Amino acid sequence: MFMKNGKFQLAIVGFGGMGNWHRELIESGIEGLELAGTFDIKESQQELSRSLGYRAYESLEALLADDSIDIVLIATPNDFHRPIAVQALRAGKNVVSEKPVTLSCADLQQMIDAANENGKIFTVHQNRRWDEDYLTMKKIYDEGMLGEVFNIESRVHGSRGIPGDWRGMKEKGGGMILDWGVHIIDQMLQMVKEKITSVYCQIYHVTNYEVDDGFTLTLTFESGKRALLEVGTSNFIELPRWYMNGENGSAQIDDFYHHGRVVRITDWDKNDAVPVKTAAGLTKTMAPRTDETIKTEELDWVKSDIKDFYRNVMAAIEGKEPQKITHQELMRVMRLMELAFESAEKNQVLSFE
Ligand code: NAD
């Protein structure tokens, strides 16, 4: 551990959209962390780095040869995460990779081996563990607000198709399973701490035939509860971000912000339903509940601080805390994504654990 100026020195490899997001986060102030420099294969991004007052290393090798760098953050397209991570770990750097960690379990194993062999921290920026909509839904689940939960639906819907850059290319690790899927799968596995018994995935190709531009993934857990995870890029009307059903109520979060509600039963006995007459029939089963039997509550919104991600990385390097995003969790998500692709290709329900 070098820690120039008493602060961890971080260098960013891949200084595009997300590399600059990390720059801004560090610039906004994280105690004990400093951005030392960057490297990007594009001259425009090297120039940007210099214009912001950072050192733009002339090569990855030059960056890795700088003894003052403690942490390398990798924010390149997905296919470069593995080779850069392995090279950086072998050069004695701690490594944070952007998500998805890489493209296969075999690749991930190489990264984990390089970390273990060199005694360095290697973790992944699964930043959406700090998303407040997710934390709010997780709290409803953890506190058992709805009684026994039997269904959880987590969706991200957009209508812009897949971006026209490397995200549309298979060899670069494009596609929505690896892009957004990795976030919502990771969140679900953090929420429901159970064995997964079966996996079924369907993939869409609406705007792009090379990679998936959307998918629907159904997971069945040991207790029988079901999770439905969906990413769509041709959804001009979005479904709610979260929808959860338990024996005593339902919860919905509409978007990434504070909109949604929890509806819970208050009286099971008053069960007189006024039948609903439709144009062609009558239903009591689907008649809405009367207000005296249910209670509608606002969401108890959970606040988070994404800077805790880097605080944990630094504490893990110092041996003060275990790393929050573990190798085992990364491998489980990667195995599940591999199985999702296989299930979609075979159009079959597959068993997992
Ligand atoms: P981008 O295309 O905007 O930026 C990638 C940059 O990497 C480009 O500037 C490119 O020139 C550079 N690059 C390519 N190959 C390189 C190499 N071998 N060495 C050095 N630089 C190289 O892409 P982006 O949107 O910033 O995505 C980058 C990574 O961040 C991806 O892995 C993506 O999945 C991830 N990402 C994460 C989040 C999140 O919320 N965690 C959000 C967006 C993107």
Side-chain angles (χ1 to χ4, degrees):
M1 204 157 34
F2 189 79
M3 290 182 72
K4 188 172 150 191
N5 311 328
K7 291 181 180 182
F8 284 100
Q9 301 295 306
L10 182 139
I12 299 176
V13 180
F15 199 47
M18 204 53 195
N20 274 281
W21 182 92
H22 286 272
R23 168 184 65 77
E24 283 176 18
L25 185 73
I26 296 167
E27 282 177 348
S28 74
I30 301 176
E31 205 183 323
L33 188 63
E34 204 162 73
L35 179 57
T38 68
F39 169 65
D40 197 292
I41 51 170
K42 265 194 213 144
E43 185 44 38
S44 60
Q45 303 316 102
Q46 296 281 83
E47 185 46 43
L48 173 66
S49 176
R50 285 189 284 268
S51 72
L52 292 164
Y54 296 107
R55 175 169 173 194
Y57 291 88
E58 61 274 22
S59 64
L60 176 63
E61 289 67 28
L63 183 153
L64 297 180
D66 183 345
D67 286 339
S68 70
I69 301 298
D70 304 292
I71 305 170
V72 172
L73 168 80
I74 305 170
T76 61
N78 302 339
D79 56 330
F80 283 110
H81 295 176
R82 182 196 53 81
I84 296 172
V86 169
Q87 200 178 336
L89 288 161
R90 288 187 183 149
K93 305 300 183 193
N94 299 288
V95 169
V96 176
S97 172
E98 257 308 337
K99 49 52 60 173
V101 56
T102 184
L103 313 185
S104 70
C105 293
D107 276 6
L108 174 55
Q109 192 57 54
Q110 282 183 32
M111 297 159 102
I112 293 172
D113 289 347
N116 292 339
E117 282 158 18
N118 294 284
K120 292 290 154 190
I121 291 293
F122 160 60
T123 192
V124 174
H125 189 231
Q126 289 291 162
N127 51 323
R128 294 202 175 272
R129 284 195 197 179
W130 280 264
D131 263 355
E132 295 182 351
D133 56 272
Y134 155 69
L135 292 170
T136 301
M137 209 41 140
K138 186 172 187 298
K139 183 162 179 249
I140 292 170
Y141 180 85
D142 288 345
E143 292 180 352
M145 265 186 93
L146 309 179
E148 188 63 32
V149 166
F150 59 90
N151 179 49
I152 310 172
E153 300 179 19
S154 168
R155 292 188 173 83
V156 190
H157 282 169
S159 59
R160 297 173 183 281
I162 207 157
D165 56 6
W166 55 267
R167 282 178 172 78
M169 300 176 202
K170 196 173 173 59
E171 61 168 24
K172 307 291 291 167
M176 281 297 132
I177 290 188
L178 288 166
D179 193 55
W180 260 100
V182 69
H183 285 303
I184 67 173
I185 292 171
D186 181 65
Q187 288 177 339
M188 192 61 75
L189 301 196
Q190 290 296 306
M191 193 182 314
V192 184
K193 305 254 181 197
E194 286 181 31
K195 270 191 172 175
I196 296 168
T197 51
S198 74
V199 174
Y200 180 58
C201 185
Q202 287 172 303
I203 276 175
Y204 311 117
H205 293 277
V206 183
T207 56
N208 181 309
Y209 294 96
E210 192 172 325
V211 297
D212 65 294
D213 57 14
F215 68 88
T216 303
L217 171 64
T218 305
L219 307 178
T220 311
F221 291 92
E222 204 172 25
S223 63
K225 63 174 65 76
R226 177 192 87 139
L228 185 147
L229 298 102
E230 186 170 81
V231 174
T233 54
S234 295
N235 297 62
F236 291 82
I237 299 172
E238 308 100 68
L239 289 175
R241 172 72 188 86
W242 293 95
Y243 178 65
M244 189 190 287
N245 302 111
E247 58 188 348
N248 296 327
S250 303
Q252 177 168 310
I253 299 182
D254 301 332
D255 46 33
F256 293 122
Y257 310 105
H258 295 224
H259 307 112
R261 65 195 189 282
V262 177
V263 178
R264 288 196 281 175
I265 190 83
T266 53
D267 188 343
W268 281 113
D269 296 329
K270 282 201 196 94
N271 214 9
D272 292 341
V274 181
V276 173
K277 287 183 188 162
T278 66
L282 177 108
T283 176
K284 260 179 117 173
T285 317
M286 296 305 159
R289 283 201 158 270
T290 46
D291 283 347
E292 73 261 25
T293 67
I294 49 170
K295 190 174 165 205
T296 300
E297 293 153 273
E298 285 184 7
L299 298 169
D300 183 10
W301 198 256
V302 177
K303 287 290 197 192
S304 74
D305 182 358
I306 186 58
K307 292 181 182 178
D308 286 343
F309 171 79
Y310 275 119
R311 292 182 187 119
N312 171 254
V313 170
M314 292 186 284
I317 294 171
E318 291 184 296
K320 293 180 182 162
E321 277 178 25
Q323 69 185 66
K324 269 209 170 85
I325 290 143
T326 68
H327 295 174
Q328 208 181 4
E329 290 165 353
L330 295 171
M331 190 57 95
R332 190 165 179 240
V333 172
M334 196 79 236
R335 277 178 38 230
L336 191 49
M337 291 194 295
E338 280 191 348
L339 208 67
F341 283 117
E342 189 184 333
S343 165
E345 201 178 308
K346 295 181 171 162
N347 192 24
Q348 272 178 15
V349 178
L350 300 176
S351 47
F352 185 53
E353 293 176 317

